[in-house]
Amino acid sequence: MKLLSPTKELKKNLRLDALGRRDMLEVEYRIEASMRIAEIGLASFALDRGTIVSGFWPIRSEVDLRPLLFGLRERGAQLCLPVIIDKQTILFRELVRGAPMIETGFGTAGPPVDAPVLEPTFMLVPLAAFDARGHRIGYGAGYYDRAIARLQEIGVNPRLIGVAFDCQEVEIVPDEPHDMPLEAILTESGLRSFGRTDKAS
């Protein structure tokens, strides 16, 4: 069995603790908080029509991002969702109204294989835990770090907005070289920006 480095072990423990707190939230609270997150996001994000926005379909006790995604679509955003291609790769397929959803790995659902692959410029990023500096802990597989690095290699530098519940905040996330800091964190109590872009949120 492969031993984890001290940093990875700490991240694992922070992840498990934060997800445990999220799982303890009442269903009614998660619904209300998700609606509040949608309201804050729609009031905060001024996106050009046609902006390609990636989101995620909720699994387990995650924020339900659908109200925010559908609100952005009404304003002209083009939506896409991540799909797992292999153990290293996610791509983002276009989400259009009325299209069927299929199983896409990790218990997630997404657009079918014939949906166009898009390159998002505005990413609503899932996470297990975050800190007040805008650093995140994902679910441990590194899919988003690699996907963002791949986008940057082809000249796409997406805006990165983490989305979570307040209870997922931790004191500090240990930094690793491959980690991608977020521009902002959106929770039910507001949008916290970290000054990593010259574009207004």
Side-chain angles (χ1 to χ4, degrees):
M1 182 174 162
K2 186 178 177 182
L3 292 176
L4 296 176
S5 70
T7 297
K8 290 194 183 303
E9 186 69 33
L10 176 55
K11 279 188 167 183
K12 177 184 174 184
N13 291 332
L14 289 170
R15 178 186 300 115
L16 290 173
D17 288 347
L19 291 178
R21 291 192 298 274
R22 192 182 75 183
D23 288 343
M24 292 291 289
L25 294 174
E26 296 286 342
V27 172
E28 293 80 5
Y29 181 87
R30 291 204 303 267
I31 292 169
E32 288 297 323
S34 294
M35 294 301 295
R36 178 69 184 140
I37 283 167
E39 291 169 3
I40 296 166
L42 290 171
S44 302
F45 303 142
L47 304 180
D48 294 334
R49 290 190 69 83
T51 297
I52 299 175
V53 175
S54 72
F56 52 91
W57 225 240
I59 58 171
R60 300 187 289 274
S61 56
E62 276 183 338
V63 170
D64 187 346
L65 208 57
R66 290 172 291 188
L68 175 54
L69 289 175
F70 297 157
L72 292 173
R73 180 168 63 190
E74 292 301 311
R75 296 183 180 182
Q78 193 173 4
L79 303 182
C80 56
L81 296 177
V83 293
I84 295 172
I85 303 302
D86 55 42
K87 289 185 178 180
Q88 295 292 313
T89 311
I90 56 172
L91 296 175
F92 297 91
R93 291 185 187 146
E94 185 175 13
L95 174 66
V96 297
R97 192 189 302 273
M101 299 285 280
I102 64 167
E103 291 293 321
T104 53
F106 261 147
T108 62
V113 292
D114 58 350
V117 173
L118 303 180
E119 272 129 21
T121 57
F122 189 93
M123 298 179 71
L124 297 167
V125 182
L127 52 88
F130 68 94
D131 66 17
R133 305 173 303 146
H135 290 254
R136 69 182 277 273
I137 298 175
Y139 291 120
Y143 282 113
Y144 268 84
D145 290 326
R146 289 189 295 273
I148 293 161
R150 181 187 63 81
L151 288 168
Q152 291 174 337
E153 284 170 6
I154 62 172
V156 178
N157 192 31
R159 296 176 63 184
L160 306 176
I161 313 296
V163 187
F165 296 116
D166 286 326
C167 69
Q168 292 170 251
E169 184 170 1
V170 299
E171 186 172 348
I172 192 161
V173 170
D175 301 357
E176 291 187 275
H178 61 268
D179 290 337
M180 301 281 186
L182 301 164
E183 172 188 326
I185 295 277
L186 175 60
T187 73
E188 68 269 33
S189 62
L191 180 72
R192 281 185 264 178
S193 297
F194 304 105
R196 296 194 175 98
T197 180
D198 57 2
K199 299 174 187 175
S201 292

